[in-house]
Amino acid sequence: MSERQRILTGDTPTGNLHIGHWVGSVKRRVQLQEKHECYFLIANLHAYTTRADSPMDVHRDCIEVARDALAMGVDPEKAAIFLQSEVPALSELTYLFAMLLPFNRVMRNPTLKDELKIKGLADNYSFGFPLYTVGQTADILAFRAHSVPVGEDQVPHLELTREVARRFNKMYCGVPDKAPDEEHESLGGVFPIPVADVGKVGRLVGTDGQNKMSKSLGNTIHVIDTAKKVKKKIGKIYTGQDSRQPNDPGIVDPEKNPLFQYLDVFVEDEATKVDIRDRYERGDNIGDGEVKMLVADAINELLEPMRERRLQYEDDAVVLEVLRSGTARAIASTEETMQMVKDVAGTGFFKRTLTLA
Ligand code: ATP
Ligand code: MG
């Protein structure tokens, strides 16, 4: 068994990856793949929470998400990129974990509530919508992951995962009630209690200046956007005021003016940032246009090598081969966990010999 720390994280195939994914999670994945055992999931079953009626679109987006991750620098030799629907242990564990969680606990999750609201679902959501949060606990625990690099919105899901892991270890593995999280594995628990690894930028705001940048909200800057398109999208950002009068203090609060979060995150030179912020706040001969140009150039500088790398993966067959090999590795790892789970939870009767192409 590998001694390295195991990492699991992933994306829902609801569209192409954007710069929010980069700062919130993918950048960290590219670092972690050097030293850790990394599994990056494409959550295509979870995409059916909102897109069960468009299976071929989800199918296409799986390939797009993988291609974007590769463009951003995920190395398929080092990390396994895999498809959720092709790893049976994930669905099996979802079923079992759903039994360990009170219904009301699942529904109390603030990210779930936000999503239902933002996506305009009110009371018209499928049974599977809240179930996906339980599914996510299975995705993580199936790899007995130690750490999960994610954006801020995922922290409540991680908390649910930690609860399931603790409950399982206590119920089926004899881990004592008050055992500290770090000791669960050494005390015989099947699951380590995983931690959320939230980066410096846990929530990049979208170009609408209001919501989290999010594939489903159309407020994104994608890795596949051309330099011209990036300029155009940045140009359209509303900065919290219609027309600034000379000597008016400008709004540099990133909550109200997304340009200033982008300035902080994407412009590297500290002195430039301080200078721009200072002049803008004083209304000193600087308009939105200048800041926008600076930000657009910085984002394009980040995206250019990704656009270039993406060309190597233009052929779907090449991406599918990456997914096939990543999925095989994911199956091997999760089957090991499944055997351990079945041994202690009373669900295993026969030696399992699962053969998958
Ligand atoms: P959807 O709109 O379908 O929910 P999404 O854009 O929110 O899509 P996900 O696939 O849900 O993307 O998220 C993948 C990962 O990227 C998660 O770890 C999430 O926290 C992170 N992430 C997504 N958007 C942002 C953002 N704007 N800022 C920081 N991290 C983000
Ligand atoms: Mg999301």
Side-chain angles (χ1 to χ4, degrees):
M1 212 181 287
S2 167
E3 294 298 311
R4 289 183 302 166
Q5 288 246 312
R6 285 179 299 273
I7 309 290
L8 179 286
T9 189
D11 310 284
T12 335
T14 39
N16 283 94
L17 295 184
H18 51 70
I19 57 176
H21 293 117
W22 172 251
V23 297
S25 179
V26 184
K27 188 177 178 183
R28 186 89 184 107
R29 295 178 208 177
V30 173
Q31 293 165 346
L32 288 167
Q33 68 185 359
E34 298 301 329
K35 293 218 171 78
H36 302 277
E37 186 179 325
C38 288
Y39 298 93
F40 302 143
L41 154 122
I42 299 182
N44 58 335
L45 288 174
H46 293 185
Y48 280 57
T49 50
T50 51
R51 301 171 82 202
D53 57 352
S54 329
M56 291 329 286
D57 291 349
V58 177
H59 194 275
R60 185 206 55 223
D61 282 339
C62 289
I63 297 173
E64 286 299 310
V65 164
R67 187 179 277 132
D68 285 348
L70 293 162
M72 285 172 157
V74 172
D75 181 342
E77 299 290 321
K78 295 178 180 152
I81 310 177
F82 69 96
L83 292 158
Q84 188 179 43
S85 63
E86 300 289 2
V87 180
L90 304 181
S91 299
E92 294 177 46
L93 283 175
T94 302
Y95 209 118
L96 183 60
F97 292 161
M99 307 301 171
L100 302 188
L101 282 164
F103 180 74
N104 289 339
R105 169 64 186 91
V106 173
M107 299 312 289
R108 236 180 19 240
N109 181 326
T111 297
L112 179 67
K113 286 188 194 161
D114 276 359
E115 280 182 331
L116 292 172
K117 198 161 81 196
I118 289 177
K119 292 177 182 170
L121 293 171
D123 286 331
N124 297 315
Y125 53 86
S126 63
F127 187 79
F129 202 104
L131 184 66
Y132 103 78
T133 63
V134 183
Q136 201 164 312
T137 69
D139 297 336
I140 296 166
L141 297 180
F143 292 88
R144 286 170 288 124
H146 299 97
S147 171
V148 188
V150 281
E152 212 169 79
D153 59 311
Q154 298 297 309
V155 171
H157 296 340
L158 239 297
E159 205 34 65
L160 196 74
T161 309
R162 291 157 60 80
E163 278 176 43
V164 173
R166 287 188 199 108
R167 196 157 302 149
F168 185 99
N169 289 344
K170 284 173 193 169
M171 205 177 265
Y172 299 126
C173 315
V175 172
D177 211 24
K178 296 231 156 53
D181 286 346
E182 320 72 68
E183 289 175 23
H184 269 241
E185 250 186 322
S186 59
L187 290 167
V190 165
F191 300 111
I193 312 300
V195 294
D197 174 5
V198 179
K200 213 168 79 207
V201 192
R203 179 186 184 275
L204 190 77
V205 70
T207 53
D208 57 358
Q210 282 176 6
N211 295 302
K212 175 182 92 79
M213 185 174 283
S214 180
K215 292 192 237 71
S216 348
L217 296 179
N219 60 0
T220 52
I221 293 175
H222 291 126
V223 192
I224 55 164
D225 286 345
T226 58
K228 205 167 142 200
K229 200 158 182 184
V230 170
K231 282 206 166 105
K232 203 163 156 197
K233 285 183 175 176
I234 296 286
K236 279 202 182 135
I237 290 174
Y238 176 63
T239 58
Q241 47 201 356
D242 285 326
S243 63
R244 237 180 72 213
Q245 301 303 314
N247 303 323
D248 252 6
I251 300 174
V252 297
D253 177 359
E255 290 293 316
K256 303 205 176 76
N257 183 349
L259 268 188
F260 278 86
Q261 191 189 25
Y262 295 175
L263 184 81
D264 281 345
V265 174
F266 297 107
V267 173
E268 300 213 333
D269 185 56
E270 284 304 322
T272 308
K273 286 190 224 192
V274 173
D275 175 57
I276 295 278
R277 192 177 270 274
D278 180 54
R279 279 168 57 209
Y280 197 90
E281 227 162 353
R282 286 188 284 113
D284 180 9
N285 193 26
I286 180 171
D288 287 343
E290 188 177 336
V291 190
K292 285 180 173 176
M293 207 137 54
L294 194 73
V295 165
D297 285 346
I299 293 176
N300 275 326
E301 210 168 296
L302 168 74
L303 296 188
E304 196 43 41
M306 298 179 185
R307 293 183 190 116
E308 244 164 64
R309 208 180 289 115
R310 203 168 190 278
L311 297 176
Q312 295 169 41
Y313 297 103
E314 261 184 345
D315 186 352
D316 280 4
V318 174
V319 179
L320 281 170
E321 209 30 60
V322 167
L323 289 172
R324 182 192 301 278
S325 113
T327 301
R329 277 140 78 190
I331 290 171
S333 170
T334 55
E335 279 303 303
E336 212 174 281
T337 306
M338 215 50 215
Q339 195 58 58
M340 295 162 88
V341 165
K342 281 172 173 275
D343 284 348
V344 297
T347 53
F349 287 81
F350 315 112
K351 174 117 188 66
R352 172 153 150 149
T353 44
L354 196 61
T355 322
L356 296 157

